[in-house]
Amino acid sequence: LLSTMSIRDNVNAAIKAAMINKEKATLQTLRMVSAAFKQIEVDQRIEITDEIALRELVRQVKQRQDAARQFRDASRIDLAEHEETEIAIIQQFLPQALSKDEIRAEVEKALAASGLPHEMASMKPLMATLKPALEGRADMAFVSQYLRPLLQTS
């Protein structure tokens, strides 16, 4: 799915394909994503860049993951599966996710390259470096959980 087209162009192309192929769930989900992009442009008076689009896609996935978890807890499997279908549709527009080992390697590389002391005060600047590098490819909560003990031990 990756091409020279922007994320937004890819979403719009997928909307057209979904209309032609009568893929109702895909169409509905991508129209919501497209509407979210338009909303950001209107509210913030900015042009949607891939960076902003990526952040919004990550937010949309996270929102649905939370909803799916709540539905599962409430034994509403049908609703949970609907959310999970939407997650799969949106994730097609995100970069390939990193494995936990790849994430750990990125964190350790950033820590070594930063030259910052291995103490909790370094947490914020390191996360500020890691977030743009890993956004959309890693669960930032996992990144934080992995980094914290590395800073506390030494």
Side-chain angles (χ1 to χ4, degrees):
L1 211 78
L2 294 173
S3 69
T4 53
M5 289 175 21
S6 71
I7 292 174
R8 185 181 206 164
D9 291 339
N10 282 326
V11 168
N12 289 337
I15 287 173
K16 287 180 187 134
M19 286 167 70
I20 292 165
N21 300 327
K22 296 185 177 29
E23 296 164 348
K24 202 172 154 203
T26 302
L27 185 58
Q28 198 178 357
T29 303
L30 295 180
R31 278 188 171 151
M32 280 191 277
V33 167
S34 183
F37 289 166
K38 283 189 185 85
Q39 191 67 53
I40 290 168
E41 286 186 324
V42 170
D43 291 350
Q44 300 177 20
R45 292 187 175 81
I46 52 171
E47 190 71 32
I48 288 280
T49 61
D50 273 357
E51 188 184 341
I52 295 165
L54 186 64
R55 203 172 308 131
E56 177 58 22
L57 292 174
V58 168
R59 195 186 69 76
Q60 296 252 344
V61 167
K62 200 175 211 60
Q63 208 177 326
R64 285 170 175 81
Q65 285 169 334
D66 292 344
R69 197 171 311 111
Q70 289 172 4
F71 287 137
R72 285 206 178 276
D73 292 346
S75 300
R76 292 300 309 272
I77 305 306
D78 54 330
L79 295 175
E81 285 172 351
H82 176 78
E83 297 291 331
E84 287 156 1
T85 300
E86 291 189 350
I87 291 167
I89 292 166
I90 296 169
Q91 281 177 332
Q92 295 169 10
F93 299 92
L94 291 174
Q96 188 63 47
L98 298 173
S99 70
K100 288 202 179 334
D101 287 341
E102 289 170 318
I103 295 169
R104 289 184 189 104
E106 288 290 326
V107 169
E108 288 164 19
K109 193 169 75 183
L111 182 56
S114 73
L116 290 167
H118 289 222
E119 59 190 30
M120 285 314 290
S122 302
M123 183 79 177
K124 199 169 181 179
L126 278 165
M127 287 301 287
T129 304
L130 287 163
K131 191 170 169 115
L134 299 177
E135 183 112 63
R137 300 185 313 143
D139 175 359
M140 294 313 289
F142 175 79
V143 172
S144 170
Q145 285 167 348
Y146 182 67
L147 181 57
R148 185 162 279 123
L150 292 179
L151 296 177
Q152 289 171 333
T153 48
S154 26

Coordinates of all heavy atoms in Angstrom, one line a residue, residues 41-78:
E41 N -8.2 19.7 9.7 CA -7.9 20.8 8.8 C -8.8 22.1 9.1 O -8.3 23.2 9.2 CB -8.1 20.5 7.3 CG -7.0 19.6 6.8 CD -7.1 19.3 5.3 OE1 -8.2 19.2 4.8 OE2 -6.0 19.2 4.7
V42 N -10.0 21.8 9.4 CA -11.0 22.9 9.7 C -10.6 23.5 11.1 O -10.5 24.7 11.2 CB -12.4 22.4 9.6 CG1 -13.4 23.5 10.2 CG2 -12.8 22.1 8.2
D43 N -10.5 22.6 12.1 CA -10.3 23.1 13.5 C -9.0 23.8 13.6 O -8.9 24.8 14.3 CB -10.3 21.9 14.4 CG -11.7 21.3 14.6 OD1 -12.7 21.9 14.1 OD2 -11.9 20.3 15.2
Q44 N -7.9 23.2 13.0 CA -6.6 23.8 13.2 C -6.1 24.6 12.1 O -5.0 25.2 12.1 CB -5.6 22.6 13.5 CG -6.0 21.8 14.7 CD -5.0 20.6 14.9 OE1 -3.9 20.6 14.4 NE2 -5.5 19.6 15.7
R45 N -6.9 24.8 11.1 CA -6.5 25.6 9.9 C -5.2 25.2 9.3 O -4.3 26.0 9.1 CB -6.6 27.0 10.2 CG -8.0 27.6 10.5 CD -8.0 29.1 10.6 NE -9.3 29.6 10.7 CZ -10.0 29.6 11.9 NH1 -9.5 29.1 13.0 NH2 -11.2 30.1 11.9
I46 N -5.0 23.9 9.2 CA -3.7 23.4 8.6 C -4.0 22.4 7.5 O -5.1 21.8 7.4 CB -2.9 22.7 9.7 CG1 -3.7 21.6 10.4 CG2 -2.3 23.6 10.7 CD1 -2.9 20.7 11.4
E47 N -2.9 22.1 6.7 CA -3.0 21.1 5.7 C -2.6 19.8 6.3 O -1.7 19.8 7.1 CB -2.0 21.5 4.6 CG -2.1 20.7 3.3 CD -3.3 21.0 2.5 OE1 -3.8 22.2 2.5 OE2 -3.8 20.1 1.8
I48 N -3.3 18.7 6.0 CA -2.9 17.4 6.5 C -1.6 16.9 5.9 O -1.6 16.7 4.7 CB -4.1 16.4 6.3 CG1 -5.3 16.7 7.1 CG2 -3.6 15.0 6.5 CD1 -5.2 16.2 8.5
T49 N -0.6 16.8 6.7 CA 0.6 16.2 6.3 C 0.6 14.7 6.6 O -0.3 14.3 7.4 CB 1.8 16.8 7.0 OG1 1.7 16.5 8.4 CG2 1.9 18.3 6.8
D50 N 1.5 13.9 6.1 CA 1.6 12.5 6.4 C 1.8 12.3 7.9 O 1.3 11.4 8.6 CB 2.7 11.8 5.6 CG 2.1 11.3 4.3 OD1 0.9 11.4 4.0 OD2 2.9 10.7 3.5
E51 N 2.6 13.2 8.5 CA 2.9 13.1 10.0 C 1.6 13.3 10.8 O 1.3 12.5 11.7 CB 3.9 14.2 10.4 CG 4.4 14.1 11.8 CD 5.4 15.2 12.2 OE1 5.9 15.9 11.2 OE2 5.5 15.5 13.4
I52 N 0.8 14.3 10.4 CA -0.5 14.5 11.1 C -1.4 13.4 10.8 O -2.1 12.9 11.8 CB -1.1 15.9 10.7 CG1 -0.2 17.0 11.1 CG2 -2.5 16.1 11.2 CD1 -0.5 18.4 10.5
A53 N -1.5 12.9 9.6 CA -2.4 11.8 9.2 C -2.0 10.6 10.0 O -2.9 9.9 10.5 CB -2.3 11.6 7.7
L54 N -0.7 10.3 10.1 CA -0.2 9.1 10.9 C -0.7 9.2 12.3 O -1.2 8.2 12.9 CB 1.3 9.1 10.7 CG 2.0 7.8 11.3 CD1 1.5 6.6 10.6 CD2 3.5 8.0 11.2
R55 N -0.5 10.4 12.9 CA -0.8 10.6 14.3 C -2.3 10.3 14.5 O -2.8 9.7 15.5 CB -0.4 12.0 14.8 CG -0.3 12.1 16.3 CD 0.3 13.4 16.7 NE 1.5 13.8 16.0 CZ 1.8 15.0 15.5 NH1 0.9 15.9 15.6 NH2 2.9 15.2 14.9
E56 N -3.1 10.8 13.6 CA -4.6 10.6 13.7 C -5.0 9.1 13.5 O -5.8 8.6 14.2 CB -5.3 11.5 12.6 CG -6.8 11.3 12.6 CD -7.5 11.6 13.9 OE1 -7.0 12.3 14.8 OE2 -8.7 11.1 14.1
L57 N -4.3 8.4 12.6 CA -4.6 7.0 12.4 C -4.3 6.2 13.6 O -5.0 5.4 14.0 CB -3.8 6.5 11.2 CG -4.3 7.0 9.8 CD1 -3.3 6.5 8.7 CD2 -5.7 6.6 9.5
V58 N -3.1 6.6 14.2 CA -2.7 5.9 15.5 C -3.8 6.2 16.6 O -4.2 5.2 17.3 CB -1.3 6.4 16.0 CG1 -1.0 5.9 17.4 CG2 -0.3 5.9 15.0
R59 N -4.3 7.4 16.7 CA -5.3 7.8 17.6 C -6.6 7.0 17.4 O -7.2 6.5 18.3 CB -5.6 9.3 17.6 CG -6.3 9.8 18.8 CD -6.7 11.3 18.6 NE -7.7 11.5 17.5 CZ -9.0 11.2 17.7 NH1 -9.4 10.8 18.9 NH2 -9.8 11.4 16.7
Q60 N -7.0 6.9 16.1 CA -8.2 6.1 15.8 C -8.1 4.7 16.1 O -9.1 4.1 16.6 CB -8.5 6.3 14.3 CG -8.7 7.7 13.8 CD -10.2 8.0 13.5 OE1 -11.0 7.1 13.3 NE2 -10.5 9.2 13.4
V61 N -6.9 4.1 15.9 CA -6.7 2.7 16.2 C -6.8 2.5 17.7 O -7.5 1.6 18.2 CB -5.4 2.1 15.7 CG1 -5.0 0.8 16.3 CG2 -5.4 2.0 14.1
K62 N -6.1 3.3 18.5 CA -6.1 3.3 19.9 C -7.5 3.4 20.5 O -7.9 2.6 21.4 CB -5.2 4.4 20.5 CG -4.7 4.1 21.9 CD -3.7 5.3 22.2 CE -2.7 4.8 23.2 NZ -1.8 3.8 22.7
Q63 N -8.3 4.3 19.9 CA -9.7 4.5 20.4 C -10.5 3.3 20.2 O -11.2 2.9 21.1 CB -10.3 5.6 19.5 CG -11.3 6.5 20.1 CD -11.7 7.6 19.1 OE1 -10.9 8.1 18.3 NE2 -13.0 7.9 19.1
R64 N -10.3 2.6 19.0 CA -11.1 1.4 18.8 C -10.6 0.2 19.6 O -11.4 -0.6 20.0 CB -11.0 1.1 17.3 CG -11.9 2.0 16.4 CD -11.6 1.9 14.9 NE -12.6 2.7 14.2 CZ -12.4 4.0 14.0 NH1 -11.4 4.6 14.5 NH2 -13.3 4.6 13.2
Q65 N -9.3 0.2 19.9 CA -8.8 -0.9 20.7 C -9.4 -0.8 22.1 O -9.8 -1.8 22.7 CB -7.2 -0.8 20.8 CG -6.6 -1.3 19.6 CD -5.1 -1.0 19.5 OE1 -4.6 0.0 20.2 NE2 -4.3 -1.8 18.8
D66 N -9.5 0.5 22.6 CA -10.1 0.7 24.0 C -11.6 0.2 23.9 O -12.0 -0.4 24.8 CB -10.0 2.1 24.4 CG -8.6 2.6 24.7 OD1 -7.7 1.7 24.8 OD2 -8.3 3.8 24.7
A67 N -12.3 0.6 22.9 CA -13.7 0.3 22.8 C -13.9 -1.2 22.7 O -14.7 -1.8 23.3 CB -14.3 1.0 21.5
A68 N -13.0 -1.9 21.9 CA -13.1 -3.3 21.7 C -12.9 -4.0 23.0 O -13.6 -5.0 23.4 CB -12.1 -3.8 20.7
R69 N -11.9 -3.5 23.8 CA -11.6 -4.1 25.1 C -12.8 -4.0 26.0 O -13.2 -4.9 26.7 CB -10.4 -3.4 25.7 CG -9.7 -4.2 26.9 CD -8.4 -3.6 27.3 NE -7.5 -3.3 26.2 CZ -7.1 -2.1 25.8 NH1 -7.6 -1.0 26.4 NH2 -6.3 -1.9 24.8
Q70 N -13.4 -2.8 26.0 CA -14.6 -2.6 26.9 C -15.8 -3.5 26.5 O -16.5 -4.0 27.3 CB -15.0 -1.1 26.8 CG -14.0 -0.2 27.6 CD -14.3 1.3 27.4 OE1 -15.3 1.7 26.8 NE2 -13.4 2.1 27.9
F71 N -16.0 -3.6 25.1 CA -17.1 -4.5 24.7 C -16.8 -5.9 25.0 O -17.7 -6.6 25.4 CB -17.2 -4.4 23.1 CG -17.8 -3.1 22.7 CD1 -17.3 -2.4 21.6 CD2 -18.9 -2.5 23.3 CE1 -17.9 -1.2 21.2 CE2 -19.5 -1.4 22.9 CZ -19.0 -0.7 21.8
R72 N -15.5 -6.4 24.9 CA -15.2 -7.8 25.3 C -15.5 -8.0 26.8 O -16.0 -9.0 27.2 CB -13.8 -8.1 25.0 CG -13.6 -8.3 23.5 CD -12.4 -9.2 23.2 NE -12.3 -9.4 21.7 CZ -13.1 -10.3 21.0 NH1 -13.9 -11.1 21.7 NH2 -13.0 -10.4 19.7
D73 N -15.1 -7.0 27.6 CA -15.3 -7.1 29.1 C -16.8 -7.2 29.4 O -17.2 -7.8 30.4 CB -14.7 -5.9 29.8 CG -13.2 -5.9 29.8 OD1 -12.6 -6.9 29.4 OD2 -12.6 -4.8 30.1
A74 N -17.6 -6.5 28.5 CA -19.1 -6.5 28.7 C -19.7 -7.7 28.0 O -21.0 -7.7 27.9 CB -19.6 -5.2 28.3
S75 N -18.9 -8.6 27.5 CA -19.4 -9.8 26.7 C -20.2 -9.4 25.5 O -21.1 -10.1 25.1 CB -20.2 -10.7 27.6 OG -19.4 -11.2 28.7
R76 N -19.9 -8.2 24.9 CA -20.5 -7.8 23.6 C -19.6 -8.1 22.5 O -19.0 -7.2 21.9 CB -20.9 -6.3 23.7 CG -22.0 -5.9 24.7 CD -23.3 -6.6 24.4 NE -23.8 -6.5 23.0 CZ -24.6 -5.5 22.6 NH1 -24.9 -4.5 23.4 NH2 -24.9 -5.4 21.3
I77 N -19.4 -9.4 22.2 CA -18.4 -9.8 21.2 C -18.7 -9.3 19.9 O -17.8 -8.9 19.1 CB -18.4 -11.4 21.2 CG1 -18.1 -12.0 22.6 CG2 -17.3 -11.9 20.2 CD1 -16.9 -11.4 23.3
D78 N -20.0 -9.2 19.5 CA -20.4 -8.6 18.2 C -19.8 -7.2 18.0 O -19.2 -6.9 16.9 CB -21.9 -8.6 18.0 CG -22.6 -7.9 19.1 OD1 -22.1 -7.9 20.3 OD2 -23.7 -7.4 18.9

